């Protein structure tokens, strides 16, 4: 927002939902985006926020937007923890499975756009420090558990 002219710049694509952003180590913004509407049996209907979304990287200096990954289902409006980057710069987030029920840990390489679902990695990412992650795991048998683990 420019105070003198009261103008605003739209960073997310028009006619799209945007998640809460995350500042990357390079100073770019990351957020999830999905169109406001979709086609269903020939009708325009509101898009479900649980539908697959694009992970978008917006370079603030060059004002350029790049889709880093597609088809992810963010776990919530804010799918990343307080800190979300591993020591090597990879992004760790929580994504819903295809049925939308289970939370999976996902690692995204921003430079190459590769997405890897962590085998046996479930839960909500709360924080990342170096290669150590704090997650909240939910199960019927054990309830809510805080888990501390590493990714290599």
């Amino acid at each position: 927002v420019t105070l003198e002219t009261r103008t605003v710049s739209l960073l997310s694509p028009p006619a799209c939902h945007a998640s809460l952003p995350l500042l990357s180590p390079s100073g770019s913004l990351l957020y999830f985006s999905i169109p406001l509407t979709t086609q269903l049996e020939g009708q325009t209907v509101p898009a479900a926020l649980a539908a697959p979304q694009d992970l978008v990287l917006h370079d603030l200096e060059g004002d350029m937007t790049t889709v880093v990954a597609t088809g992810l289902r963010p776990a919530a409006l804010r799918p990343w923890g307080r800190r979300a980057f591993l020591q090597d710069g990879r992004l760790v987030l929580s994504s819903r499975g295809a049925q939308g029920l289970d939370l999976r840990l996902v690692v995204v390489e921003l430079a190459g756009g590769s997405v890897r679902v962590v085998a046996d990695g479930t839960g909500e990412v709360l924080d990342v420090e170096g290669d150590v992650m704090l997650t909240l795991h939910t199960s019927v048998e054990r309830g809510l558990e805080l888990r501390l683990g590493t990714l290599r």
Side-chain angles (χ1 to χ4, degrees):
V1 177
T2 306
L3 295 177
E4 292 79 31
T5 62
R6 295 187 179 136
T7 59
V8 207
S9 297
L10 182 63
L11 297 180
S12 58
C16 288
H17 291 290
S19 69
L20 290 175
L22 175 71
L23 193 61
S24 76
S26 69
S28 296
L29 285 180
L30 274 167
Y31 60 90
F32 279 96
S33 181
I34 186 173
L36 295 175
T37 59
T38 188
Q39 293 293 312
L40 181 65
E41 298 177 6
Q43 299 291 319
T44 301
V45 296
L49 291 177
Q53 299 184 27
D54 293 339
L55 179 60
V56 177
L57 182 70
H58 185 94
D59 176 6
L60 294 171
E61 286 186 22
D63 197 28
M64 293 179 46
T65 301
T66 305
V67 174
V68 176
T70 60
L72 293 172
R73 298 172 187 265
L77 184 61
R78 183 185 169 105
W80 23 70
R82 189 171 75 82
R83 292 173 289 194
F85 292 93
L86 295 168
Q87 190 170 328
D88 63 6
R90 292 177 297 163
L91 171 69
V92 179
L93 57 94
S94 299
S95 180
R96 297 216 176 270
Q99 306 305 321
L101 302 175
D102 56 331
L103 282 177
R104 306 296 303 174
L105 298 180
V106 175
V107 177
V108 180
E109 179 72 44
L110 295 181
S114 67
V115 177
R116 185 174 65 97
V117 176
V118 178
D120 302 329
T122 60
E124 179 182 352
V125 178
L126 300 177
D127 202 359
V128 177
E129 174 68 33
D131 288 332
V132 179
M133 293 183 317
L134 176 64
T135 60
L136 182 64
H137 181 81
T138 306
S139 74
V140 175
E141 300 83 28
R142 296 179 300 278
L144 295 173
E145 293 179 327
L146 282 174
R147 293 184 177 181
L148 198 61
T150 59
L151 282 178
R152 298 189 203 288

